[in-house]
Amino acid sequence: EDQVTQSPEALRLQEGESSSLNCSYTVSGLRGLFWYRQDPGKGPEFLFTLYSAGEEKEKERLKATLTKKESFLHITAPKPEDSATYLCAVQAAQGAQKLVFGQGTRLTINP
Amino acid sequence: GAVVSQHPSRVICKSGTSVKIECRSLDFQATTMFWYRQFPKQSLMLMATSNEGSKATYEQGVEKDKFLINHASLTLSTLTVTSAHPEDSSFYICSKRDSLTDTQYFGPGTRLTVL
């Protein structure tokens, strides 16, 4: 069964304090790994898609990396507006097109 | 990114009534759309995959007669919660899939409260 585990569950940082969020996955052949940001009461906002080990993508203060077992979302010099829940999801290469989500990491950046 | 709208954004109804939620793709056509449910402090759980012109595919444990899905056009999918009960109160979110990148783009969500 495809599974996604995110850690930590919650993370508090000071503004400017860089850190990383982890997404460990087991899937029967990876078609894609996806990172989303979700603000309270809103739908997830797409951040990145990664397809193969070694791939990296960047957007402003965020950088996502992928290995064969996990993905990291690195946040460099975060600002309070980066506070949100970050969700990781995988899609298997075989079968349905559905995403399997992790439980998310609640990130709080204090000014 | 791709644009998905949902209507209504918030609905309160009495127990036993039915509620319809609309999900529209505002930019590209979507042959496949998805419906998720999210309870407080929890992640998204897929309810069903909506396919234009054919029957929806429901996840295990989701009652297809209670959660009716219609995908009559390439830009609109609807979810009807029939005979709603308080335990159906949740945040319902739809998404559409970009077939070129496999990326799903999500709507803003609908908060359903059943009294």
Side-chain angles (χ1 to χ4, degrees):
Chain A
E1 184 183 336
D2 301 334
Q3 226 170 4
V4 177
T5 303
Q6 292 187 244
S7 62
E9 193 175 308
L11 180 63
R12 285 185 175 271
L13 300 172
Q14 289 298 122
E15 184 172 0
E17 181 184 1
S18 301
S19 188
S20 297
L21 312 182
N22 178 263
C23 170
S24 296
Y25 65 91
T26 53
V27 64
S28 51
L30 180 70
R31 186 176 180 96
L33 184 142
F34 307 86
W35 281 99
Y36 293 88
R37 167 196 171 124
Q38 186 176 26
D39 293 302
K42 296 187 177 181
E45 175 189 341
F46 170 70
L47 294 174
F48 303 108
T49 304
L50 301 167
Y51 297 101
S52 57
E55 190 174 359
E56 297 183 355
K57 288 195 176 171
E58 280 188 76
K59 178 182 177 182
E60 295 181 353
R61 295 177 292 281
L62 300 176
K63 182 168 114 174
T65 61
L66 180 65
T67 71
K68 289 187 177 180
K69 294 183 179 180
E70 59 191 349
S71 176
F72 290 94
L73 184 65
H74 306 279
I75 302 178
T76 303
K79 299 181 178 181
E81 53 262 41
D82 294 323
S83 297
T85 295
Y86 290 84
L87 298 168
C88 172
V90 297
Q91 182 182 345
Q94 302 298 326
Q97 303 161 359
K98 63 181 183 179
L99 297 181
V100 175
F101 278 88
Q103 288 299 101
T105 293
R106 289 192 311 279
L107 177 66
T108 304
I109 308 298
N110 296 314
Chain B
V3 184
V4 179
S5 70
Q6 280 185 242
H7 178 79
S9 59
R10 187 181 295 267
V11 57
I12 301 172
C13 69
K14 292 182 178 180
S15 187
T17 61
S18 295
V19 173
K20 180 186 282 189
I21 303 170
E22 293 185 348
C23 176
R24 291 183 184 275
S25 174
L26 299 183
D27 43 13
F28 61 84
Q29 294 178 335
T31 55
T32 304
M33 300 177 88
F34 302 86
W35 287 96
Y36 293 82
R37 184 165 50 182
Q38 186 176 35
F39 291 106
K41 305 284 188 186
Q42 294 187 24
S43 193
L44 280 73
M45 293 298 296
L46 179 66
M47 298 175 67
T49 301
S50 170
N51 302 295
E52 188 270 335
S54 64
K55 291 183 178 180
T57 303
Y58 290 82
E59 293 300 298
Q60 194 171 10
V62 177
E63 299 174 58
K64 61 180 180 181
D65 295 329
K66 181 170 183 62
F67 299 99
L68 302 179
I69 291 173
N70 184 279
H71 194 156
S73 79
L74 289 171
T75 59
L76 174 65
S77 176
T78 61
L79 169 68
T80 301
V81 183
T82 62
S83 186
H85 291 284
E87 57 265 30
D88 298 323
S89 298
S90 188
F91 193 50
Y92 291 86
I93 314 172
C94 70
S95 73
K96 67 179 180 184
R97 176 178 168 268
D98 181 337
S99 59
L100 292 178
T101 64
D102 289 321
T103 299
Q104 287 189 25
Y105 296 93
F106 289 84
T110 297
R111 172 75 58 195
L112 170 63
T113 303
V114 185
L115 302 177

